[in-house]
DNA sequence: AACCAGATCTAATACGTATTAGAGGAGGAC
DNA sequence: GTCCTCCTCTAATACGTATTAGATCTGGTT
């Protein structure tokens, strides 16, 4: 057995010495795929043998230093990704980003200033930590616009998962086509005879919400249903969706169908499920319900809501691919990609309930009596 | 608007030029924590300002090539972490590693050659990719010993989550004390009167399994129960745990309690649950059952098995802390830390069934008749 | 005036690799 | 013999940083 070598790892210089060639030759043999066929076979064998004997392995740092790239992609989330209550929502993105990154031969750098909420900033400590990576995939609902703008100013390559707008100009994103999906949902309801369709939107004015609202209006328009401002309701808190409120809408507004924008946690959908289970409001018997997105916590015993479903895996993959594409260009222009949602028929929409089609007072006592029906 | 800068990232040389100092000074200001107080405050400010203006961030590869530190910790898993069927098992580790890493002011580098199973090697393509990180946390059941050995040979700092042994010598790990936990479980069963306790172990000869077996023997020993080789059964495939097999053990071996090593997916525990639900074998009425670890997929409607529970969060945190400690030392000695499991009483063990205590033939026809009881 | 002692900064170098221009030799054509 | 081509290899350099020995300056002491 040879005496334990010095702790130092073998380098190409060591191999070169042992094989009686130059370091450059070693480099050509080891990693020069295309150029290495101009090396004589005997030399090649000698080098490979020496490399094997010395247990050589390439020094990644040196290689990427030379190349200017680290082969690292960053994943930055504007919201904590790991907490349990949002885990089902973000997990598919994570999974797919990680997979595709690996498939492309990159490693994934996970940025997370999890705890100190104030620290959750790209520009913590003055230095831009993101820049450790060659480029970055961004994720999260509550974006800090200034940070995005700063990234753009510095020409740092990044791709957002989800459509985002910034005053500074265009940025690259892979989004989901909420507009088309929502308007298709309205069309579907219209086909079933619904005309009083309530849109229950999130309070914050983010792009996903804006897009849904646009889809809602477009859908009404194409179905020839007039837009009624009172049928767009904001919901600040999932707890705000009470049986009473829903019954009020059904009763006094004549609503027969509700489009709901699901939140990232599962309370909203849970609330709906409870109403249905306890038969205080039944879907679709009393009212049709469709979700404008996936219910976040999907377990097999959950109700099969009518909804459209985000192709999260595909979105994440496309984002990674787009990012790597951008990295390859000298002066890349921002790109936008929009992916269609898939429609899930489910069982929570149906024809207009017989007594509830007319938006007049007649239906109100009916609903009021039903309210007492609980045990 | 300034003309679009060249795509090149700013370097310390750029900063130096702009601030009118040397590159060395920049390096001292940027990363020389201890030595940087010999720099005049005015110079320091000028450098920092220039760095901010240029959007500088350090080049990891260069720093690591030079031998410096990156404040990056790697997380390497020997098995795919993200696949859904193992997600509940590994998720807590991931979560805690990520949290603690962030808390310590490090970033997390996720290594994963997810798909190509053959590629799932630290030494893929000859390059030791891990080395971009200052140190690494390793995770996973089916370790490649050669790779561990290679890491040790190269003095790369790492900490394994879980006890691991390698011929080459000691390595650092944070483990869970399966021996004590298992022997305590045996003691508990013995206290309830059980003497014929079956140990259903995994087929592979990994450390966790070995430790459980040792705990099993020690527990028997301390309870004064003789060891019976036929009461240790290997289970290659979760599907191998059939009702018939279990009834055979109860009937002809006189088994009254079973210790089960849960697999990383949830099929084994599912199988048990089904037996119990369909009343073909009821726990603990027909036989006591205790799990030597957590059932992997824990949902609220799952049965509350008697078991012990791994402190996964704590393990992961300790691993990160240990790793950072190791990084601080010049020539660190391997460290081992063992953390106790917590006992979860559950409801799947009970006293010895009245008719099944004697391991003689009398019980066999009784069991055989029960076997027909299904609808 | 000569010397010294900080204080502050810089020049030079090493790290391991990839790349490129070109060196050196062999062989053939004229 | 001269020129040319092809083949194989090497010298030299750049990549961006950390580190260290020493340079330069400032102000004070003898």
């Amino acid at each position: 057995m040879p005496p334990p070598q010095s702790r130092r790892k073998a380098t190409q210089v060591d191999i070169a010495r042992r094989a009686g060639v130059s370091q450059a030759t070693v480099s050509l043999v080891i990693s020069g795929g295309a150029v290495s066929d101009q090396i004589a076979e005997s030399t090649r064998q000698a080098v490979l043998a020496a490399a094997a004997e010395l247990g050589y392995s390439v020094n990644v740092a040196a290689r990427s230093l030379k190349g200017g790239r680290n082969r690292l992609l960053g994943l930055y989330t504007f919201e904590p990704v790991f907490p349990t209550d949002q885990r089902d929502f973000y997990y598919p993105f994570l999974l797919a980003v990680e997979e595709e990154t690996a498939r492309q031969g990159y490693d994934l750098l996970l940025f997370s200033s999890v705890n100190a909420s104030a620290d959750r900033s790209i520009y913590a400590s003055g230095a831009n930590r993101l820049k450790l990576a060659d480029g970055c995939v961004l994720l999260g609902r509550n974006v800090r616009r200034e940070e995005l703008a700063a990234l753009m100013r510095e020409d740092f390559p990044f791709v957002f998962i989800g459509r985002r707008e910034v005053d500074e100009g265009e940025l690259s994103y892979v989004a989901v086509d909420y507009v088309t999906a929502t308007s298709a949902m309205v069309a579907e309801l219209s086909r079933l005879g619904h005309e009083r369709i309530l849109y229950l939107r999130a309070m914050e004015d983010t792009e996903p919400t804006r897009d849904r609202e646009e889809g809602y209006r477009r859908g009404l328009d194409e179905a020839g249903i007039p837009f009624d401002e009172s049928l767009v309701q904001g919901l600040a808190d999932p707890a705000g969706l009470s049986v009473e409120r829903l019954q009020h809408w059904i009763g006094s507004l004549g609503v027969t169908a509700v489009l709901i924008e699901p939140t990232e946690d599962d309370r909203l959908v849970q609330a709906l499920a409870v109403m249905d289970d306890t038969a205080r409001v039944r879907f679709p018997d009393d009212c049709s319900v469709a979700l404008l997105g996936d219910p976040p916590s999907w377990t097999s015993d959950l109700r099969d809501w009518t909804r459209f479903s985000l192709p999260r895996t595909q979105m994440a993959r496309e984002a990674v691919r787009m990012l790597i594409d951008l990295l390859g260009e000298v002066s890349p222009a921002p790109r936008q990609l929009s992916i269609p949602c898939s429609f899930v028929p489910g069982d929570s929409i149906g024809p207009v309930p017989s007594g509830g089609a007319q938006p007049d007072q007649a239906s109100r006592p009916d609903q009021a009596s039903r309210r007492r029906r609980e045990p």
Side-chain angles (χ1 to χ4, degrees), chain A:
Chain A
M1 195 183 292
Q5 303 282 351
S6 82
R7 267 291 187 255
R8 214 178 105 272
K9 263 181 72 177
T11 73
Q12 292 187 353
V13 174
D14 299 326
I15 299 181
R17 216 166 352 234
R18 178 177 264 249
V21 296
S22 71
Q23 176 268 324
T25 304
V26 175
S27 175
L28 286 177
V29 170
I30 300 266
S31 48
V35 207
S36 82
D37 48 2
Q38 67 177 206
I39 300 277
E41 189 53 27
S42 59
T43 310
R44 169 193 208 70
Q45 292 305 334
V47 168
L48 289 178
E53 287 164 24
L54 293 176
Y56 171 81
S57 74
V58 181
N59 180 321
V60 203
R63 173 176 283 178
S64 36
L65 172 57
K66 178 60 183 147
R69 290 277 159 82
N70 289 325
R71 288 197 86 75
L72 289 185
L73 295 189
L75 176 60
Y76 188 87
T77 60
F78 282 89
E79 286 143 28
V81 171
F82 282 110
T84 327
D85 64 334
Q86 298 206 351
R87 113 187 207 187
D88 286 287
F89 183 78
Y90 284 117
Y91 200 83
F93 288 122
L94 266 186
L95 163 60
V97 166
E98 198 252 2
E99 268 187 6
E100 187 64 25
T101 300
R103 195 197 320 266
Q104 302 278 350
Y106 282 72
D107 283 314
L108 190 63
L109 196 46
L110 221 52
F111 292 102
S112 46
S113 333
V114 183
N115 313 308
S117 54
D119 266 10
R120 192 165 196 81
S121 160
I122 296 177
Y123 283 86
S125 80
N128 180 347
R129 299 158 59 226
L130 282 194
K131 291 194 152 184
L132 292 185
D134 297 338
C136 202
V137 172
L138 303 186
L139 187 58
R141 190 177 173 88
N142 300 308
V143 185
R144 306 200 181 166
R145 308 281 160 174
E146 336 80 71
E147 297 185 358
L148 277 192
L151 282 184
M152 292 174 65
R153 231 179 292 124
E154 294 180 9
D155 262 348
F156 183 76
F158 68 94
V159 173
F160 213 105
I161 298 187
R163 193 174 74 80
R164 295 303 126 125
E165 288 171 346
V166 166
D167 294 336
E168 274 73 9
E170 301 271 288
L171 52 76
S172 297
Y173 60 75
V174 173
V176 83
D177 189 354
Y178 282 122
V179 180
T180 303
T182 304
S183 86
M185 195 63 89
V186 171
E188 180 67 23
L189 287 170
S190 159
R191 208 166 302 129
L192 287 167
H194 297 270
E195 297 191 344
R196 302 290 290 168
I197 303 173
L198 184 87
Y199 167 41
L200 200 54
R201 51 162 283 177
M203 225 39 171
E204 313 103 302
D205 187 41
T206 60
E207 286 86 348
T209 299
R210 276 209 295 276
D211 288 352
R212 286 180 176 104
E213 180 156 353
E214 187 188 332
Y216 172 68
R217 286 168 182 262
R218 186 176 300 177
L220 290 180
D221 207 46
E222 285 166 0
I225 305 174
F227 174 73
D228 177 350
E229 192 156 353
S230 65
L231 291 186
V232 175
Q233 299 278 344
L235 201 61
D237 181 3
L241 183 60
S242 61
V243 175
E244 288 72 20
R245 196 145 176 228
L246 193 53
Q247 286 174 337
H248 167 76
W249 288 328
I250 297 174
S252 34
L253 296 180
V255 165
T256 63
V258 181
L259 296 178
I260 297 188
E261 184 173 351
T263 50
E264 266 110 3
D265 63 36
D266 61 351
R267 288 175 297 171
L268 191 56
V269 177
Q270 292 291 20
L272 287 177
V274 167
M275 289 182 206
D276 196 49
D277 286 350
T278 59
R280 302 180 73 185
V281 181
R282 291 163 309 159
F283 314 112
D285 302 353
D286 300 328
C287 177
S288 286
V289 162
L291 306 183
L292 304 180
D294 293 292
S297 188
W298 186 257
T299 51
S300 52
D301 53 356
L302 215 60
R303 158 125 203 201
D304 185 24
W305 300 103
T306 297
R307 65 193 185 273
F308 55 75
S309 184
L310 314 196
R312 292 182 232 185
T313 299
Q314 195 194 345
M315 289 174 73
R317 279 200 195 132
E318 295 290 357
V320 171
R321 289 198 201 119
M322 179 184 286
L323 179 56
I324 291 178
D325 270 4
L326 292 179
L327 292 182
E329 296 181 11
V330 261
S331 174
R335 300 194 197 173
Q336 286 95 27
L337 180 62
S338 199
I339 303 182
C341 297
S342 61
F343 175 72
V344 181
D347 57 14
S348 61
I349 67 173
V352 177
S354 48
Q358 308 88 337
D360 53 17
Q361 284 107 327
S363 57
R364 204 190 292 191
D366 178 34
Q367 295 294 334
S369 71
R370 283 197 56 220
R371 194 191 290 184
R372 304 270 174 275
R373 207 177 55 180
E374 57 200 330

